[in-house]
Structure formats: C-alpha cells, structure tokens
C-alpha cells in the first residue's frame, strides 16, 4: 500500500489581502491566539502521522524557517522559569519533524509552486496543506480523513471539498462528479473549473486547501499553461487527471476558516479563544 510520507506547504504567495502587515510579516506567520497560522497546518499534518514538512517559500519569508528552528537566546534567557513551557509546543514540532525548503522565484500560481517542490517530494504521493485554510474538528483531522480515503484509492488524487454559497463560488475551484457507490461524501470527479462565474457553476462544491496528489501531477504540471489570472492553476492540472478517472473529491468532516481573509482570521480566533 502506498503510504504518504510528506506534506507540502506552498506558502510563496504575497498575502495582498493583509497589506500592509504582509509587507514584512508573511500571512502564514499572523497569529491565531499565540501561534502562527502555519503551525496549525503543521500540527494537522502531524496528527495525520506525517513528520516530513516541505515548504515552498520565497525570499521574503525567512521568518517561517526561523520559527521552526530553536531560538538559543530566548531559550537561555527563560530556562528554569515558568514561561519556558510556552515554547514547548513549537520545540516539540522541531524535534519530531524534518523541514525542507525550496524557493519559488516568481509568483506564477499554486500549480507552479507545487511543481517547484518536485525536488523535495520525488516520485511519491504526497499531501498538500494550504495553511490559510485552517480546519478544526473534534475527531480525525481533515488530512487524516483524506489519507484514510487515499489508502483505499491509491491511484487517485484526493481533493477536499465543501458546499459554499453560490455568491462565494467565484473565489474557488469547483468540481462536478458522481457520488461513488454507497457513499454520501465521496465523488469521482468528471470536471473541474477555476473561479467560475456562479451562474456557470455546475455545483456549489468548492475545493479547499487540502490535497493528496500522486506523482503523476508533476508530469501534468510541467505541460500546464497559465490559466485564470495568468497563473499555472492546480485545478487545470487536476482536470487532466480527472479525465482519466483519477481524481476523487471528498466532503470532509469539520469546519474550515478562510484565514486568507481578515474575516476568517477573526472567526478562527474567536472560535479557538472561546474553546481555550
Ligand atoms: P492565494 O490565492 O491565497 O494568494 O494563494 P496569496 O498570494 O497567498 O494571498 P492574496 O490573495 O494575495 O491575499 C493560495 C495558496 O497558494 C500559495 C499561497 O502562498 C497560498 O498558500 N501560492 C500562490 C504560492 O505558493 N505561489 C503562488 O505563486 C501562488
């Protein structure tokens, strides 16, 4: 059985919706309570049994790498004090996980960012988390649910979907497909569209920032031309594999907060604060 070992975090976007703060602080380093957004994504990957974290960054995002490294000065200043325990959570991650990084030299789209990671991933299936989609649930994490499904369909890519209001659909990739027999939440995808006008959308099933991708995706991405907004879109590449019957969409259990938007960050913060 194919096992997923690596989780890819494409985090080379500019986060323009958070300007001016993203001029010097990457969107992924904005806090939800006392942890940066990216840490929630890394913790989700760990909860799915993954310890190999591959990050596609750019030259302005050095703080992400620094965050997951020990900070000798702070540690020596607070050792033997009560506050030392505040660093335990992130130190635990640094000890347990291997982090690798590669630079996306130009912002050419999510598909291009994923293709850039090929040297970090190699010829194996892998998970992808877009950390600005912060997913919270009480049971198995969204990624753990997807890996379980992938293990039953090891030749297929898996995309996480949720129903969104028609008025929001233009922000997302949308799928059309057939329910897989005996299931209420798993579709074999026939077609996929990126950021459609809602009036043209076949369904309201929107793709969110969790994927399991087979290594076939790299060959497809290599030949994928820029699409919507002049970017190389992962949706266009997945559409090629969907035509071969190799993409499954999964309506996950849990709640997603769109932390690529100010509203989503406030909602996630408020939810986590009231449950802390
Ligand atoms: P977004 O569409 O949210 O773009 O990217 P963005 O640049 O991060 O933010 P805004 O829209 O300007 O506010 C979705 C995901 O794809 C990554 C982003 O880092 C984010 O995780 N991405 C996007 C890349 O890594 N490279 C790209 O060229 C584009």
């Amino acid at each position: 059985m194919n096992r997923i070992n690596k989780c890819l975090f494409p985090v080379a976007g500019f986060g323009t919706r958070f300007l001016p703060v993203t001029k010097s602080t990457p969107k992924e380093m904005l806090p939800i309570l006392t942890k940066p957004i990216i840490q929630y994504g890394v913790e989700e990957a760990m909860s799915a049994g993954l310890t190999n974290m591959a990050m596609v960054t750019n030259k302005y995002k050095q703080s992400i790498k620094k965050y997951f490294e020990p900070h000798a000065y702070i540690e020596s200043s607070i050792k033997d004090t009560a506050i030392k325990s505040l660093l335990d959570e992130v130190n635990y991650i640094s000890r347990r996980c291997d982090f690798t990084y590669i630079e996306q030299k130009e912002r050419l789209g999510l598909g291009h960012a994923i293709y850039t990671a090929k040297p970090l991933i190699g010829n194996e299936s892998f998970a992808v988390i877009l950390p600005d989609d912060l997913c919270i649930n009480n049971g198995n994490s969204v990624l753990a649910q997807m890996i379980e499904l992938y293990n039953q369909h090891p030749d297929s890519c898996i995309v996480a979907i949720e129903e969104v209001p028609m008025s929001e659909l233009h922000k997302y990739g949308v799928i059309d497909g057939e329910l897989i027999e005996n299931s209420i939440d798993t579709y074999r995808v026939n077609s996929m569209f990126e950021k459609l006008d809602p009036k043209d959308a076949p369904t309201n099933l929107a793709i969110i920032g969790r994927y399991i991708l087979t290594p076939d995706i790299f060959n497809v991405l290599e030949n994928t031309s820029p699409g919507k907004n002049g970017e190389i879109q992962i949706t266009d590449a997945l559409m090629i594999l969907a035509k071969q019957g190799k993409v499954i969409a999964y309506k996950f259990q849990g709640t997603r907060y769109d932390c690529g938007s100010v509203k989503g960050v406030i909602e996630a913060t408020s939810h986590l604060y009231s449950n802390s």
Side-chain angles (χ1 to χ4, degrees):
M1 184 183 293
N2 285 7
R3 176 118 166 73
I4 304 291
N5 295 304
K6 295 178 182 165
C7 188
L8 177 66
F9 295 83
V11 289
F14 292 156
T16 54
R17 281 170 286 170
F18 284 93
L19 282 171
V21 66
T22 41
K23 225 175 130 226
S24 67
T25 303
K27 160 173 89 169
E28 298 75 19
M29 291 305 293
L30 297 177
I32 305 277
L33 306 185
T34 56
K35 295 192 290 198
I37 288 174
I38 191 146
Q39 186 168 338
Y40 292 88
V42 170
E43 287 174 353
E44 182 179 330
M46 288 179 79
S47 80
L50 309 187
T51 53
N52 194 319
M53 312 294 166
M55 307 235 169
V56 181
T57 62
N58 63 37
K59 63 180 173 185
Y60 304 106
K61 298 213 166 179
Q62 298 305 319
S63 57
I64 296 178
K65 183 166 187 281
K66 280 198 186 141
Y67 181 73
F68 289 108
E69 287 168 353
H71 192 305
Y73 179 67
I74 294 187
E75 300 214 358
S76 68
S77 328
I78 65 172
K79 77 172 180 327
D80 306 326
T81 72
I83 15 175
K84 184 180 173 298
S85 64
L86 298 178
L87 284 179
D88 286 351
E89 267 175 282
V90 67
N91 282 345
Y92 173 75
I93 293 175
S94 311
R95 276 198 305 274
R96 287 287 313 277
C97 299
D98 290 320
F99 287 84
T100 51
Y101 299 87
I102 199 160
E103 192 179 311
Q104 185 188 22
K105 295 208 163 57
E106 272 184 275
R107 193 193 176 293
L108 296 178
L110 176 58
H112 180 264
I114 291 174
Y115 183 70
T116 302
K118 189 177 171 191
L120 302 184
I121 302 294
N123 189 28
E124 59 185 89
S125 296
F126 59 104
V128 178
I129 288 184
L130 305 188
D132 49 9
D133 272 340
L134 198 159
C135 294
I136 299 176
N137 50 3
N138 295 323
N140 278 353
S141 68
V142 175
L143 202 62
Q145 295 166 40
M146 293 173 74
I147 289 178
E148 207 177 303
L149 181 63
Y150 169 78
N151 287 336
Q152 296 160 31
H153 302 274
D155 296 326
S156 292
C157 295
I158 317 276
V159 299
I161 50 167
E162 75 174 18
E163 293 190 39
V164 303
M166 287 314 255
S167 57
E168 299 279 303
L169 267 188
H170 62 282
K171 300 180 190 163
Y172 296 90
V174 174
I175 69 112
D176 195 6
E178 316 295 334
L179 274 173
I180 290 180
E181 214 177 326
N182 295 330
S183 108
I184 49 161
D185 50 17
T186 310
Y187 298 77
R188 181 69 62 185
V189 175
N190 301 326
S191 40
M192 311 176 82
F193 308 90
E194 186 61 32
K195 300 189 172 72
L196 271 185
D197 188 324
K199 70 175 175 10
D200 301 323
T203 69
N204 67 340
L205 299 172
I207 303 168
I208 66 117
R210 300 287 181 280
Y211 306 80
I212 307 283
L213 300 175
T214 58
D216 314 349
I217 199 73
F218 292 124
N219 290 338
V220 179
L221 280 168
E222 196 170 355
N223 298 303
T224 301
S225 311
K228 270 265 153 73
N229 306 330
E231 297 183 2
I232 297 178
Q233 300 285 353
I234 188 65
T235 313
D236 292 342
L238 281 167
M239 180 59 199
I240 304 285
L241 296 178
K243 282 189 186 143
Q244 300 165 19
K246 288 184 176 171
V247 180
I248 288 173
Y250 170 62
K251 221 195 271 179
F252 63 92
Q253 305 290 317
T255 307
R256 174 190 67 105
Y257 293 92
D258 172 12
C259 293
S261 73
V262 175
K263 181 168 173 275
V265 167
I266 289 170
E267 287 169 354
T269 305
S270 157
H271 172 86
L272 288 168
Y273 184 67
S274 48
N275 288 282
S276 63

